[in-house]
Amino acid sequence: MAELNILVCVKQVPDPEGPPSAFEVDSAARKVTPKGIPPVLSPFDENALEAAIRVKEAAGGSITMLSVGNNLSKAVMLKALASGADRLVTVEDPSCDQEGLDAFATASLLAAAVRKAGPFDLILTGRQAADTNAGQVGLGLAQLLSIPAVSVAGKVEVNGGTARVETVLPDGYEVVEASLPLLVTVSHEVGDLRYPSLMAIKKAKTLPMETFKPADLGMEPGSLVINEITELTAPNRERRCRLVEGESPEDAGAKLAALLKEDKII
Amino acid sequence: MAEKEGILVIAELSPAGAPDAVTLELLGLGARLAASSGKQLQAAAVGIDTASAAATLIASGAAAVFTVEGSAYAAYDPDLHVTALEKVVEEAGPSAVLVGNTTVGQDLVPRLAFALKAGLTTDAVSLEMKGGALASTKPVYGGNAMAVFVSRGKPALASVRPGAGDPAKPDASRTGETVKVDVEAPSPRLSFGGKVLEEGGDVRLEEARVIVSGGRGLGGAEGFEQLRELARLLGGAVGASRPPVDAGWWPSTQQVGITGKIVSPEVYVAVAISGSSQHLSGISDSRVIVAINKDPEAYIFKVSDYGVVGEWQQVLPGLSSRIREILGV
């Protein structure tokens, strides 16, 4: 078999580990503006990249990273590339801003970019992105490309023209096998993305990179959108906290236990 | 008679062929949507033998049940089920399609939506009909915002978080129509090698009545042994926020939050967790949240019902020993 062409689709999101105050909800504009937190690769997409690197280590091949967005952080991309990818393809445009796209538009742009930059034998995505948590784009992309897909993988292996995937179940896992080409959505059970060396980060700048505009792909993102946000509000999840004090921290702990008993919570 | 523009619930069947608990919740929700919009509540069932499922679905409020039967549908195969349900939706012509946001639902519904080129909102927590169209609300940005989604065109699909509605109460006197849909099943592309169940020595997070979780402030794997002691006393499970998992102090399968497990215990005890948005989003359905943190300004206190400001190394022994006294163990 010829060299294995692996594609990893990644999305940049505001760091989901940021505190709630870092996400400013603008109900009028129906958008969330991150305040003082950096963009990061969506965590499950990092897992997908790690899965790709492991497949490449075991079976050989090359890894292309693909991302759709607007004003993508170069530093985030370089660091991810340096972990073990070989090439970057982006679809960038103001019309590809998070607020301007839904899952269908995003997957349509990805599918068009795959047709232009591919073919690929194995396509990996995160199981869901950390901003919308929708879990639609990976499986949707497979549907648009008419290739089979397996979701929520905890392990991905390729042997010849066949992939063996362990999908994560609430109480264990299931082994699924399929011929390539195949799309797999990846979960955190795969393991964390390795850290690149400084040398690798430096070298990443020299890797091949291409950027397309939606028009280059014959696409108009706005016209592809099916699902629209009609209202966006900041939820009130605050609770009234009863702070328990004591003569010492141990005593406060004991008083907490007594209070929980009194309120019939334990 | 099956009407067009209905509210169609896709049933998930147990291996024995019975609609599961989430399906009954969807029928409860769907009945409310149907009543408020003057539409018909319908259901779809795909399986080897759907007769008894159809009877249950009708008793639970569906006025019409679309069934696809065949030996090919013994177990869930996404390609086969999507093809079957695509045909059902074409035949039924619904305005809204509801699916449970379960393991199978999460795999099925994006494929179905894209096959239909229809709008989909996943993990919806509430649904409403507005001007004859489905409006689905779901948390985004780790629960820092609630978004209402409406689809251009029909049908609109939603996968609904389990527990979002009260289950329909079956009433055997209800009547309804069963519509058999003929589908030619495609050749399978995936080969399923069987499920491997893992040993569950500890209580599973999703089912735990009590969860004691630790954060970055625990400082190492040893801290989790003390959490385990408290969890054992309360018959609960031990979870973690993301940093301890990243640091390798606690297994990733026990991570709580939007990037781990979304939990809804009776009592959630957050120890040395400051409260990142993605973590909070995974615990907001907990009935009671208890926080122990040395930083009085930690955000976790704003979303907790009970709190102690102090070093966990000192607070926890006091809490555990008094609980032991209370429980007499």
Side-chain angles (χ1 to χ4, degrees):
Chain A
M1 195 182 147
E3 193 191 56
L4 191 66
N5 277 317
I6 308 168
L7 179 75
V8 183
C9 300
V10 299
K11 181 179 189 179
Q12 291 192 359
V13 298
D15 189 350
E17 293 299 325
S21 59
F23 297 84
E24 200 176 78
V25 179
D26 182 344
S27 293
R30 298 198 290 266
K31 64 185 281 189
V32 172
T33 312
K35 283 264 142 88
I37 46 169
V40 296
L41 224 53
S42 187
F44 291 126
D45 298 352
E46 286 196 352
N47 302 126
L49 180 54
E50 176 62 26
I53 297 168
R54 291 186 195 181
V55 169
K56 179 179 147 181
E57 283 175 342
S62 74
I63 300 173
T64 301
M65 260 174 41
L66 169 63
S67 190
V68 171
N70 183 35
N71 285 329
L72 294 171
S73 157
K74 189 105 191 253
V76 169
M77 287 306 184
L78 286 176
K79 188 173 166 218
L81 276 173
S83 313
D86 303 285
R87 173 192 177 207
L88 176 67
V89 178
T90 59
V91 182
E92 274 192 85
D93 193 66
S95 67
C96 297
D97 202 61
Q98 168 60 30
E99 275 71 32
L101 300 179
D102 70 345
F104 191 79
T106 306
S108 300
L109 288 163
L110 290 170
V114 166
R115 290 194 184 100
K116 192 134 184 152
F120 297 102
D121 307 298
L122 178 66
I123 302 180
L124 302 176
T125 72
R127 60 181 288 186
Q128 65 198 53
D131 49 1
T132 53
N133 284 299
Q136 296 191 38
V137 167
L139 290 169
L141 174 60
Q143 200 73 35
L144 294 178
L145 295 171
S146 301
I147 62 172
V150 178
S151 70
V152 196
K155 193 172 186 183
V156 185
E157 292 167 334
V158 172
N159 200 340
T162 307
R164 180 187 177 278
V165 181
E166 291 180 9
T167 62
V168 180
L169 300 174
D171 47 3
Y173 65 93
E174 179 161 30
V175 178
V176 186
E177 289 187 336
S179 297
L180 302 178
L182 176 72
L183 185 143
V184 180
T185 81
V186 174
S187 187
H188 58 89
E189 285 82 355
V190 151
D192 293 330
L193 178 61
R194 62 198 62 191
Y195 282 104
S197 65
L198 279 176
M199 188 70 105
I201 294 177
K202 240 180 207 166
K203 207 180 132 234
K205 289 179 188 152
T206 64
L207 292 173
M209 298 181 206
E210 286 167 88
T211 298
F212 298 118
K213 291 270 176 195
D216 302 333
L217 305 169
M219 306 295 244
E220 197 196 317
S223 69
L224 295 166
V225 171
I226 304 177
N227 222 26
E228 290 179 294
I229 294 183
T230 57
E231 278 173 59
L232 189 75
T233 51
N236 184 9
R237 54 184 175 191
E238 296 199 357
R239 302 183 182 206
R240 187 195 294 265
C241 188
R242 279 183 73 178
L243 280 180
V244 181
E245 291 175 359
E247 285 162 21
S248 64
E250 289 88 345
D251 184 44
K255 288 208 163 73
L256 172 63
L259 183 61
L260 291 176
K261 172 70 183 165
E262 195 182 310
D263 290 354
K264 297 190 169 56
I265 287 157
I266 57 171
Chain B
M1 278 293 288
E3 295 170 11
K4 295 288 174 186
E5 302 273 315
I7 311 286
L8 178 68
V9 167
I10 295 179
E12 200 174 315
L13 306 183
S14 69
D20 67 0
V22 180
T23 302
L24 297 183
E25 288 176 14
L26 294 178
L27 286 165
L29 278 170
R32 195 170 50 72
L33 298 177
S36 73
S37 59
K39 296 183 187 299
Q40 189 179 57
L41 179 62
Q42 305 170 336
V46 177
I48 301 183
D49 176 3
T50 56
S52 74
T56 307
L57 294 167
I58 289 169
S60 305
V65 178
F66 296 85
T67 62
V68 180
E69 283 191 348
S71 55
Y73 305 111
Y76 172 71
D77 178 315
D79 295 325
L80 273 60
H81 277 71
V82 167
T83 304
L85 289 164
E86 194 184 346
K87 188 86 187 291
V88 164
V89 172
E90 276 166 15
E91 192 144 328
S95 55
V97 178
L98 312 184
V99 182
N101 192 43
T102 58
T103 303
V104 165
Q106 285 169 15
D107 184 79
L108 170 85
V109 75
R111 301 173 193 259
L112 180 61
F114 275 70
L116 295 164
K117 298 212 174 351
L120 163 65
T121 306
T122 53
D123 196 25
V125 293
S126 73
L127 303 173
E128 216 184 323
M129 293 300 282
K130 281 187 180 165
L134 181 69
S136 309
T137 304
K138 75 163 287 183
V140 291
Y141 289 94
N144 286 303
M146 297 300 282
V148 181
F149 288 92
V150 174
S151 295
R152 295 180 189 164
K154 279 176 188 168
L157 280 66
S159 69
V160 183
R161 189 181 285 191
D166 294 326
K169 290 193 177 65
D171 173 354
S173 70
R174 288 194 183 117
T175 56
E177 182 194 6
T178 302
V179 182
K180 281 200 182 240
V181 180
D182 288 322
V183 179
E184 200 179 318
S187 322
R189 298 186 291 183
L190 306 175
S191 136
F192 295 88
K195 294 178 180 172
V196 180
L197 298 185
E198 280 172 345
E199 303 247 332
D202 289 336
V203 183
R204 296 203 318 124
L205 284 180
E206 297 92 324
E207 283 157 18
R209 208 189 68 82
V210 176
I211 295 174
V212 183
S213 276
R216 191 197 304 271
L218 282 190
E222 309 73 40
F224 279 90
E225 290 309 316
Q226 291 197 47
L227 299 193
R228 191 176 248 173
E229 162 71 8
L230 177 60
R232 199 182 50 75
L233 282 172
L234 297 170
V238 178
S241 62
R242 192 178 153 124
V245 171
D246 284 350
W249 302 342
W250 204 239
S252 69
T253 51
Q254 301 300 102
Q255 185 186 321
V256 175
I258 210 98
T259 52
K261 302 229 155 86
I262 294 176
V263 298
S264 51
E266 289 290 307
V267 186
Y268 188 85
V269 185
V271 183
I273 290 176
S274 57
S276 75
S277 49
Q278 74 87 8
H279 183 75
L280 296 178
S281 196
I283 66 169
S284 57
D285 289 339
S286 306
R287 194 169 75 81
V288 171
I289 299 175
V290 181
I292 298 168
N293 202 294
K294 66 176 178 187
D295 175 10
E297 300 299 320
Y299 192 85
I300 190 77
F301 288 120
K302 291 207 168 110
V303 296
S304 296
D305 304 281
Y306 298 89
V308 174
V309 178
E311 297 279 357
W312 66 270
Q313 294 94 327
Q314 293 162 330
V315 178
L316 221 49
L319 176 63
S320 292
S321 84
R322 181 63 63 87
I323 287 175
R324 234 176 266 120
E325 280 170 31
I326 290 169
L327 300 176
V329 291

